[in-house]
């Protein structure tokens, strides 16, 4: 009986694990595309934390992040962000970026569908 319950539990949890891994991979891919387009250096490596979500980052905070990012010499000044049209939670991941001898620690905020970066900040 216990083996049967364990099998049912594993079968039910497997799709959740698969979806979670897919979201993580998608977020990393979106951030890497953003870095390829907006870092001033083309040679870098990056590692990511697990994705999470937050409802505490609002439009004012995103505007401030974008303004501060203009002064970050590791990134281009004319970053083109897509607007965050959907209100609610944002997905975020922390990234450690290695550029030459420099190490950058950033948090990237993505729209809830994980299709584009809406802002980032230095940790």
């Amino acid at each position: 009986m216990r083996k049967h319950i364990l099998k049912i539990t594993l079968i039910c949890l497997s799709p959740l694990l698969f979806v979670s891994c897919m979201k993580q991979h998608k977020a990393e891919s979106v951030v890497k595309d953003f870095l390829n387009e907006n870092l001033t250096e083309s040679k870098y490596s990056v590692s990511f934390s697990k994705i999470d979500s937050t409802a505490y980052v609002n439009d004012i905070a995103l505007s401030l992040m974008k303004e501060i990012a203009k002064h970050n010499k590791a990134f281009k000044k004319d970053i083109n962000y897509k607007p965050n049209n959907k209100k609610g939670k944002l997905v975020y991941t922390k990234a450690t970026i290695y550029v030459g001898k420099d190490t950058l620690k950033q948090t990237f905020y993505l729209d809830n569908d994980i299709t584009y970066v809406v802002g980032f900040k230095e940790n």
Side-chain angles (χ1 to χ4, degrees):
M1 181 68 172
R2 282 186 171 179
K3 287 183 181 179
H4 186 66
I5 292 172
L6 181 61
K7 284 182 183 179
I8 291 173
T9 302
L10 288 174
I11 290 170
C12 291
L13 291 178
S14 293
L16 293 175
L17 291 172
F18 179 73
V19 168
S20 176
C21 288
M22 290 298 294
K23 285 184 175 183
Q24 179 73 35
H25 177 73
K26 187 175 180 184
E28 290 177 11
S29 178
V30 168
V31 172
K32 284 178 185 176
D33 289 345
F34 181 85
L35 292 172
N36 288 337
E37 190 172 317
N38 295 297
L39 272 178
T40 55
E41 296 290 328
S42 60
K43 293 183 181 181
Y44 69 91
S45 62
V46 62
S47 63
F48 295 96
S49 68
K50 290 187 177 182
I51 60 171
D52 203 347
S53 62
T54 182
Y56 296 111
V57 176
N58 58 26
D59 290 339
I60 295 169
L62 288 172
S63 293
L64 184 58
M65 284 181 211
K66 292 171 187 176
E67 192 58 38
I68 292 170
K70 290 178 184 178
H71 305 287
N72 188 330
K73 293 181 186 204
F75 290 88
K76 296 176 182 175
K77 305 257 181 268
D78 58 346
I79 296 174
N80 223 351
Y81 299 94
K82 292 187 180 177
N84 182 30
N85 295 328
K86 297 180 181 179
K87 302 302 175 198
K89 291 185 177 185
L90 295 175
V91 174
Y92 71 91
T93 185
K94 293 183 178 185
T96 303
I97 307 161
Y98 305 96
V99 181
K101 295 180 181 180
D102 295 329
T103 301
L104 311 168
K105 294 187 180 238
Q106 309 284 329
T107 300
F108 291 89
Y109 295 92
L110 298 90
D111 67 305
N112 200 31
D113 295 331
I114 312 176
T115 54
Y116 50 86
V117 172
V118 296
F120 70 96
K121 68 178 181 114
E122 192 169 353
N123 296 342

